């Protein structure tokens, strides 16, 4: 009796990445790295495992208790597979706080795990770009990270019709809510939770939640009015708020840089994580079929103080998931033909030429920087051509005994359907054209 065969499917919410998938991923990760490195951001990484306490302290109850993959190790320590990167990078900064030169401009593209319901744009394993600036207390750091997000989107060919950056400020939000409702910081935090999920529930449920927090119809109406206000109209309601000043400075700078066409003020942007303290923003896909928040972030001034007593290192950052980014690129047809311009040579084989001679030819091509491979196995020439086409090779190299004796190789351009004879000594010159 045969044993039951194992499933070929990956674990729910995770993905297999075949070579074609990796080609797309490497392309867009490469574009991201280029856009950030030219702006002097430096790459870092951290461990996959962290203390569960780290997330319980600063990621919020939902992530720490419901969405982490967590377990006890053999020494009964509570560990979690990282569900996000911000607590890790804050820990790293705190660990070398006296050695680092601030402000820091850091980024990372780690993989994360969250145990949550899978849906479009949300999986249990994902890769996430994290961009952070540490050690700048002013709106300049807020501006820097928002500008970097816009430049990344532009690097893929996206324009203002395709995405919008929606911006708010938690300090401003708290001050406005206090002015309207008379609530303290904890009361404003509870109101923020209702506002944060207002687009995910019915209007009836939204009003019920507000009423349960002690808000009457007049106060709810005043908050509702803020959702459609411009930044100038909204900040005029609370001009003495520190958050008002930060918002006005930020939008003035965006206008000066002519990037305001990508940005709008949105009082409904809260960001659900508890550690955000100032500017918050989310980047939305404007396509009707994929109209949703793709990624976002904000200021979290108090996070490093979790590790170092009296530490005062401000932080601003955002996280961009690979799943939502790829959905955006596919929706707007922004992924190019990634095979079209690649030079890739298959060295074909004949029985009358020693295998080692083909290995020498392949080694020569590779030493010249030409992506190439020797066909393995003993198949007919036609089968080798089929393999080259299916493998997206741009050229094939043909060297029978006659060519070997004369020190030449025939190079066939599969796209142009042209063939020419090139001496072994001139291969570098040929492929340099």
């Amino acid at each position: 009796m045969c044993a039951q065969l194992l499933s070929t499917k990956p674990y729910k919410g995770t993905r297999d990445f075949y070579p074609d998938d990796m080609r797309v991923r490497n392309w867009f990760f490469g574009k991201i790295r280029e856009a950030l490195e030219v702006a002097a951001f430096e790459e870092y990484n951290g461990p996959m495992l962290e203390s569960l306490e780290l997330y319980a302290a600063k990621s919020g109850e939902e992530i720490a208790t419901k969405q982490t993959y967590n377990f006890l190790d053999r020494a009964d320590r509570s560990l979690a597979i990282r569900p996000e990167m911000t607590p890790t990078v804050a820990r790293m900064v705190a660990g070398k706080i006296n050695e680092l030169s601030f402000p820091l401009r850091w980024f990372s593209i780690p993989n994360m795990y969250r145990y949550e319901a899978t849906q479009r744009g949300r999986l249990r394993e994902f890769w996430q770009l994290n961009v952070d600036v540490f050690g700048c207390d002013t709106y300049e750091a807020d501006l820097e990270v928002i500008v970097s997000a816009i430049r990344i989107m532009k690097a893929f060919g996206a324009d203002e019709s395709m995405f919008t950056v929606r911006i708010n400020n938690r300090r401003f939000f708290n001050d406005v809510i206090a002015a309207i409702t008379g609530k303290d910081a904890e009361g404003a935090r509870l109101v923020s939770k209702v506002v944060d999920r207002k687009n995910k529930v019915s209007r009836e449920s939204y009003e019920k939640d507000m009423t349960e927090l002690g808000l009457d119809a007049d106060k709810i109406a005043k908050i509702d009015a803020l959702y459609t206000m411009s930044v100038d109209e909204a900040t005029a309601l609370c001009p003495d708020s520190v958050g008002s000043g930060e918002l006005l400075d930020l939008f003035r700078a965006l206008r000066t840089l002519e990037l305001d066409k990508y940005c709008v003020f949105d009082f409904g942007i809260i960001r659900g994580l508890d550690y955000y303290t100032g500017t918050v923003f989310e980047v939305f896909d404007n396509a009707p079929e994929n109209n949703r928040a793709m990624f976002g972030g904000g200021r979290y001034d108090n996070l490093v103080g979790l590790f170092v007593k009296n530490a005062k290192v401000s932080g601003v950052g955002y996280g961009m998931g690979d799943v939502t980014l790829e959905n955006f690129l596919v929706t707007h047809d922004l992924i190019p033909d990634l095979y079209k311009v690649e030079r890739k040579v298959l060295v074909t084989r004949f029985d009358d030429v020693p295998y080692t001679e083909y290995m020498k030819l392949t080694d020569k091509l590779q030493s010249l920087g030409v992506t190439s491979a020797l066909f393995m196995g003993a198949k007919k020439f036609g089968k080798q051509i089929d393999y080259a086409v299916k493998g997206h090779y741009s050229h094939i190299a043909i060297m029978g005994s006659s060519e070997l004796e004369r020190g030449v190789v025939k190079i066939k351009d599969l796209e142009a359907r042209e063939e020419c004879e090139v001496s072994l000594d001139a291969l570098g010159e040929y492929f340099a054209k």
Side-chain angles (χ1 to χ4, degrees), residues 162-231:
M162 300 178 186
F163 72 96
T164 301
V165 184
R166 299 184 177 276
I167 302 170
N168 196 11
N169 186 289
R170 290 284 282 264
R171 281 189 267 267
F172 170 72
F173 179 92
N174 291 342
D175 290 341
V176 170
I177 293 300
I180 293 174
T181 69
K183 290 187 175 293
D184 58 12
E186 176 59 17
R189 187 186 73 83
L190 294 175
V191 171
S192 77
K193 297 296 184 183
V194 178
V195 173
D196 187 46
R197 61 178 180 267
K198 73 179 179 65
N199 292 327
K200 301 175 184 177
V201 299
S202 67
R203 177 68 188 184
E204 181 182 8
S205 178
Y206 168 77
E207 291 182 356
K208 178 176 178 292
D209 290 342
M210 286 292 204
T211 301
E212 288 178 352
L213 292 176
L215 277 66
D216 58 23
D218 180 60
K219 291 175 181 178
I220 295 173
K222 287 180 179 178
I223 294 173
D224 286 345
L226 284 155
Y227 299 141
T228 57
M229 288 185 183
S230 69
V231 67

Side-chain angles (χ1 to χ4, degrees), residues 2 33 92 117 161 281 358:
C2 295
R33 283 189 170 94
M92 290 172 63
S161 71
F281 67 94
Y358 288 123

Side-chain angles (χ1 to χ4, degrees), residues 71-77 79:
F71 59 94
L72 292 176
D73 70 5
R74 293 179 182 179
D76 287 333
R77 289 170 292 219
L79 300 179

Side-chain angles (χ1 to χ4, degrees), residues 83-190:
E84 60 161 334
M85 199 66 174
T86 302
T88 292
V89 70
R91 177 185 59 74
M92 290 172 63
V93 171
K96 292 195 173 183
I97 194 168
N98 295 321
E99 302 172 42
L100 298 169
S101 179
F102 295 94
L104 305 176
R105 304 161 69 89
W106 284 7
F107 79 95
S108 183
I109 314 178
N111 60 329
M112 316 286 193
Y113 291 83
R114 289 189 186 180
Y115 191 84
E116 58 183 348
T118 59
Q119 55 184 285
R120 176 177 171 80
R122 181 171 294 179
L123 298 177
R124 291 179 175 177
E125 182 191 30
F126 56 96
W127 275 252
Q128 181 173 282
L129 166 68
N130 293 268
V131 177
D132 295 274
V133 173
F134 287 95
C136 177
D137 296 331
T138 71
Y139 79 94
E140 294 171 7
D142 306 348
L143 176 67
E144 190 72 45
V145 296
I146 290 173
V147 168
S148 75
I150 293 171
R151 286 176 176 164
I152 287 171
M153 300 302 290
K154 290 175 65 179
F156 289 110
D159 58 34
E160 67 271 22
S161 71
M162 300 178 186
F163 72 96
T164 301
V165 184
R166 299 184 177 276
I167 302 170
N168 196 11
N169 186 289
R170 290 284 282 264
R171 281 189 267 267
F172 170 72
F173 179 92
N174 291 342
D175 290 341
V176 170
I177 293 300
I180 293 174
T181 69
K183 290 187 175 293
D184 58 12
E186 176 59 17
R189 187 186 73 83
L190 294 175

